[in-house]
Amino acid sequence: GKRFGVGAARPVFRSASQRVAPGKGGLLYYTVEYVKNVLGVQRVVLTTLTVADGVLYTLTAEEDEGRFDGEMGEGLRAAVASFVVMP
């Protein structure tokens, strides 16, 4: 993946996406997935964010890479995809 940041603990980008929530508000949500090194352990991080009424809302979930690449990853992806802010 694409690397960003500095030093040995640079995160590695995996993917990014956007979606518009259904309904009246139609807020735009952005999701990014990346891998980072924490004390020698690779961790996969999923973050979804949106802005509603001038306030930034985020949901971040992370898991060890070995556990993420399976059912745990599917569950965490479903969780961040279900994140909705009610304006």
Side-chain angles (χ1 to χ4, degrees):
K2 184 175 180 183
R3 292 190 175 274
F4 51 97
V6 295
R10 292 187 299 189
V12 177
F13 175 80
R14 281 187 161 191
S15 67
S17 62
Q18 67 181 34
R19 64 182 165 91
V20 176
K24 205 173 187 180
L27 293 176
L28 185 57
Y29 292 79
Y30 297 96
T31 300
V32 65
E33 181 176 324
Y34 60 94
V35 178
K36 67 179 182 176
N37 185 308
V38 178
L39 301 174
V41 177
Q42 296 294 98
R43 308 261 310 160
V44 178
V45 182
L46 291 166
T47 298
T48 296
L49 61 90
T50 191
V51 176
D53 297 323
V55 178
L56 173 67
Y57 295 89
T58 65
L59 172 67
T60 300
E62 67 180 82
E63 181 58 87
D64 291 352
E65 189 172 35
R67 291 186 56 189
F68 184 87
D69 294 328
E71 280 187 39
M72 184 64 72
E74 293 172 19
L76 291 177
R77 283 188 184 105
V80 298
S82 71
F83 177 55
V84 176
V85 173
M86 305 304 246

